[in-house]
Amino acid sequence: MQTHRSTPWLFLTPNLVIFGVFTFLPIVINFYYAFTGGVQLYPRDRPFVGFENLASLLDCGNYLEPETCKRDLFWRAVWNTAKYAVFQVSLMVLFSLVTALVLNRKIIGRGFWRGVYFYPVLLSPVVVALIWKWILQRDGLLNGVIASLGEASATPMLWLAEPGSAFFWVVFVSIWAHMGFYTLILLAGLQAIPADLYEAAQLDRASPWRSLTRITLPLLMPNLLVVLVLAAIRAVQTFDEVFVLTGGGPGSATTFVVQFIYQTGFQEQVRLYGLAAAGSLLLALALIVLTLIQLRATKAGDAGERAK
Amino acid sequence: MIRKPGSPVWIAALAALSCAGAAAQELRVQCYSDGNECEVTGDIAKRFEAANAGAKVVIDKVPYKAVVETLPVQLAAGEGPDIARVTDLGGLNKYYLDLTPHLSAASVKAWNTNFASTLPWFRASPADKGIYGLMSQLTVTGAYVNKTLFEQANVPMPGPKATWDQWMAAADKVAKATKTPYAMAMDRSGHRFAPLAVAYGAKIFDANGMPVVDAGYQTAVKKFIDWHKAGLMPKEVWGGVGGSQYRDAFEEFANGRVVVYYSGSWQVKRMDTQVTKNFHWTVAPAPCGPAACTAMPGGAAFVALKRTKQPALAAKFLDFLAQDANYKELMARTDNIPASLSVAKAGVPYKVSALAGTALDSFVADVPKIAKANYDLQGYRFNRAVFLPTAQRVGQAVAGEMTADAALTRLASDIEEQVKAASK
């Protein structure tokens, strides 16, 4: 059956319109806003200021010391995001891998456990944050449990009011909420590894550790790379969960780049849309780099598959 | 039989619908509530509808965050309701509808007489004489005291001229004697911080009328940070959240975790319904400093917006709300302090407990003590450009992220930058 040349376009048009209006147009507008100043909302009312906003964000005595920067809050957010990405992504991949390895074995109630680990992924980030806020607040479940274990006289811990512990819980909650998704990807990768490779290894009396390092991990590498890059992209974009859980505090200990952009553009009385847009532009650059890495990793994975 | 669009019956039906649309004039009122303000306004609106055939008032209840963060963007984009209940009274001035041309001469006179002290808060400049909004709630900040704890500790309550330091020292004694975790808490808000600053000599504005972080403001910031460092105030309120976000400390007080709680008159209803059953509370007179014994005025107001397609009806509705009988009902049923002089003079028949009644009296007694700097700050168009950076920077210092001096330097530059950007 021959289809008319315009038929594919007919089916693509609704999606293109939606993407055009809600994704590409805002990108173009954001790009324009990044080079304008003032507090006016409409582009036509905003004066062109060239690279002023970007220069303001990048004006720093020492990038490693945010207090020496003109926009100290931006750089605090940048370093918080970087620290978060490193810890959250590496721990997330590690826990996802271990969980996937366990769930790939013939354990009792395997289907149930797979469901348990995947369940938090189905929850909205706001719900996740509210649940954990309830657990971690001064009169929350965690302090209640600690008190019931015989520490009733102890001062309740302020889990979200100390910078170190707040950061720890932000990472922990995020891993709890998203680990199931990455576990699923790794589980699919594990199930694609031919069983006869393990049988051959067993015949050669290879230890389980040797099987893991010489068979499982090398063959799982394409999936691991995808998981790593996807988790990194998501970590850099983190906002909703943390915003509800800690509000970016204490101080700015859990303020990430997206929250800085939101605060600058929408929370202050004087809304510096241009500065917020410039921040978005820098964030987009970081995401483009991560996406390119993902594309290369995927291509390398495909090439590896073809070579098998 | 199915009639096709375009047939005479369809045309007649459409014409009838459009006539009905023209006859019914609908006003959409965006309302946030501290207690029951939207419900009471809705009740009064029903009487307005009954008195004005064809008028329909729809109250859209929204969270406070929507009024503070979403409404300004809606208005800038030419969208939004006909009337809104706002707290950024001067900052949104350019979107307000001047009610004057839609009011009778007698009404204009009544508004200018009854609301003389609050009408300037809505105006763009002293030269502006427009009538833009109705204060639905005049608020005064103040300190709630857990009297039961004072009695248990056998510590006398400081007198009417007591300073912030004396209150802190007394509350600390009570906290230690009763094993209460903290002496005092204050809502995380630059608005709540302002009376402390003015009490310690802050002028708030320089000779050119620009906001300034002067020596008085600096003293207050340092004192406030030191109180947190000394463990007298709960770190989690100001230091526990990020950015310039608002956080109240009501729960700390209601759960007996602080002896004194600095908030405002809008909490009276909540205190009465949630705290009265647990302990005896009272409101202290405005704490003093070397420069003043002052509170901070504030409140929320209904404003008509320029974009409305029913300006006359919007003005008529606000005028209806402003009439003494209706305004008195609004105040009485919401336990708020009236901004209308005639209603204040006549008295409001509050139906509250004895504790809440005494508290309201105490807040009303603080009104004449309010320093000019606090009135000026409340009426300043860009007051949130002072309030929000204060919460942000002082919060960072309380969290231990920066020193008091560094916080003050950043605070001054943040305020200057925001005011400069807004004035462009």
Side-chain angles (χ1 to χ4, degrees), chain A residues 39-42 66-67 69-73 76 138-139 158 160-162 243 246-253 262-263 266-273, chain B residues 65 68-69 72-73 76-77 88 91 182 235-236 239-245 257 381-385 388 392-393 396 399 401-402 410 417-418 421-422:
Chain A
V39 293
Q40 291 77 13
L41 184 67
Y42 284 115
E67 59 272 24
C69 302
K70 186 179 176 191
R71 301 284 171 192
D72 65 318
L73 290 173
R76 282 179 199 277
R138 180 196 273 271
D139 297 324
L158 301 173
L160 299 176
E162 295 297 333
F243 188 67
T246 64
S252 62
Y262 169 70
Q263 271 174 214
F266 299 103
Q267 241 184 357
E268 305 296 334
Q269 181 183 27
V270 180
R271 290 150 202 260
L272 302 173
Y273 298 119
Chain B
K65 212 173 170 61
V68 175
E69 291 177 15
V73 181
D88 185 6
Y182 301 103
K235 193 178 167 184
E236 62 263 38
V241 289
S244 54
Q245 288 183 71
R257 283 200 292 266
R381 274 178 73 193
F382 305 124
N383 58 18
R384 284 163 58 78
L388 298 183
Q392 161 91 58
R393 295 306 184 178
Q396 280 181 277
E401 202 169 274
M402 53 170 61
R410 289 286 179 183
E417 185 199 26
Q418 294 224 357

Side-chain angles (χ1 to χ4, degrees), chain B residues 5-55:
Chain B
S7 72
V9 173
W10 270 92
I11 292 167
L14 281 173
L17 271 175
S18 62
C19 284
Q25 290 184 305
E26 187 180 87
L27 279 181
R28 295 208 81 98
V29 180
Q30 192 182 84
C31 180
Y32 87 91
S33 197
D34 286 309
N36 59 346
E37 288 85 354
C38 303
E39 288 75 11
V40 178
T41 307
D43 291 346
I44 299 171
K46 281 194 186 102
R47 293 207 298 272
F48 176 76
E49 287 172 356
N52 295 273

